[in-house]
Amino acid sequence: SQQGEEDPQALSIQEGENATMNCSYKTSINNLQWYRQNSGRGLVHLILIRSNEREKHSGRLRVTLDTSKKSSSLLITASRAADTASYFCALYNFNKFYFGSGTKLNVKP
Amino acid sequence: DVKVTQSSRYLVKRTGEKVFLECVQDMDHENMFWYRQDPGLGLRLIYFSYDVKMKEKGDIPEGYSVSREKKERFSLILESASTNQTSMYLCASSLWPRTTYEQYFGPGTRLTVT
């Protein structure tokens, strides 16, 4: 399968804590992207990391990519209740995107 | 801001009906995509289109067809709806070629086939 696999499937933390989600994959990629989906809504693009990059930051988000291990992680620092959502990694290859089944994050106020 | 709209948020249809799901984007994007999302399976690509009148099969095209007569509009057609097509359907668009390749999603259509 060319899909990414997120881990854990569900994560529950207190507001202010950090949340880490992981994505593993099996094929080569052009880039890897992370998306957020609020309940019952469409996905929103968060951040992209190219295959030749190792780390990327955007606000409270930090993404790492290890192509030798075929894995990526998304770190959300100082989480807020509004971060409660599902998070998906998406692999990009040859104009197609391959999404995993997501990590459901619950941030308790 | 890019806006992707889908014709319905919720839709209930009967088995055997022909169903049309419409998607419109307002940012002149070349690429448009249809996914279905099911619990535990993530998003699976049904069809995508990289130009008007062009289409490519995704991973699960069986039972579906698409139409792209205008650049801004991409329609998903269920020729004869079946209960196993009950799902959340998401449309997306992206600009090509472009270095970011990010996708912009519509709000989704939750289709129930009874």
Side-chain angles (χ1 to χ4, degrees):
Chain A
S1 167
Q2 298 192 58
Q3 284 184 304
E5 290 182 20
E6 288 95 343
D7 173 64
Q9 289 187 319
L11 182 60
S12 185
I13 60 174
Q14 292 292 139
E15 209 166 24
E17 293 181 340
N18 294 344
T20 300
M21 289 157 260
N22 304 295
C23 173
S24 60
Y25 57 93
K26 295 179 181 175
T27 63
S28 61
I29 57 171
N30 296 120
N31 66 60
L32 186 145
Q33 305 178 29
W34 286 90
Y35 288 78
R36 184 188 75 229
Q37 183 181 35
N38 289 90
S39 182
R41 309 292 299 186
L43 280 71
V44 175
H45 181 263
L46 294 176
I47 194 166
L48 176 151
I49 187 164
R50 299 181 201 288
S51 58
N52 61 355
E53 296 176 314
R54 292 297 166 257
E55 190 169 312
K56 203 111 176 248
H57 295 255
S58 176
R60 294 184 296 112
L61 304 180
R62 174 179 164 244
V63 170
T64 60
L65 179 65
D66 186 335
T67 52
S68 65
K69 295 181 179 178
K70 289 187 164 55
S71 68
S72 174
S73 66
L74 171 67
L75 168 68
I76 304 174
T77 59
S79 63
R80 305 167 182 167
D83 294 328
T84 293
S86 291
Y87 292 81
F88 295 84
C89 66
L91 317 177
Y92 179 81
N93 250 347
F94 304 109
N95 212 24
K96 281 189 183 181
F97 294 79
Y98 299 92
F99 288 83
S101 54
T103 291
K104 192 169 281 192
L105 173 66
N106 179 33
V107 181
K108 294 177 280 188
Chain B
D1 273 355
V2 174
K3 196 166 183 184
V4 180
T5 57
Q6 295 183 228
S7 50
S8 306
R9 289 298 315 278
Y10 300 94
L11 208 53
V12 180
K13 294 292 182 181
R14 292 193 181 277
T15 301
E17 277 192 83
K18 191 168 187 175
V19 182
F20 293 87
L21 302 182
E22 304 283 338
C23 175
V24 177
Q25 50 94 4
D26 66 357
M27 283 301 290
D28 205 34
H29 283 177
E30 285 80 9
N31 289 353
M32 295 188 76
F33 306 79
W34 275 107
Y35 295 90
R36 64 177 282 177
Q37 182 179 21
D38 300 287
L41 296 176
L43 276 73
R44 292 179 292 166
L45 181 64
I46 305 171
Y47 269 97
F48 71 102
S49 168
Y50 51 87
D51 201 354
V52 175
K53 297 193 187 294
M54 305 299 287
K55 61 185 179 184
E56 292 278 344
K57 291 180 180 179
D59 299 317
I60 51 163
E62 297 78 20
Y64 303 94
S65 62
V66 290
S67 172
R68 189 150 181 219
E69 296 296 320
K70 293 186 178 181
K71 192 174 186 180
E72 68 271 18
R73 189 179 297 268
F74 192 34
S75 302
L76 180 69
I77 303 153
L78 286 66
E79 296 291 342
S80 177
S82 63
T83 54
N84 63 12
Q85 292 179 309
T86 291
S87 186
M88 169 73 108
Y89 289 88
L90 292 164
C91 174
S93 70
S94 70
L95 193 58
W96 172 263
R98 189 185 164 119
T99 54
T100 56
Y101 305 115
E102 64 187 90
Q103 289 194 309
Y104 297 86
F105 282 83
T109 295
R110 189 166 292 282
L111 172 68
T112 302
V113 182
T114 61

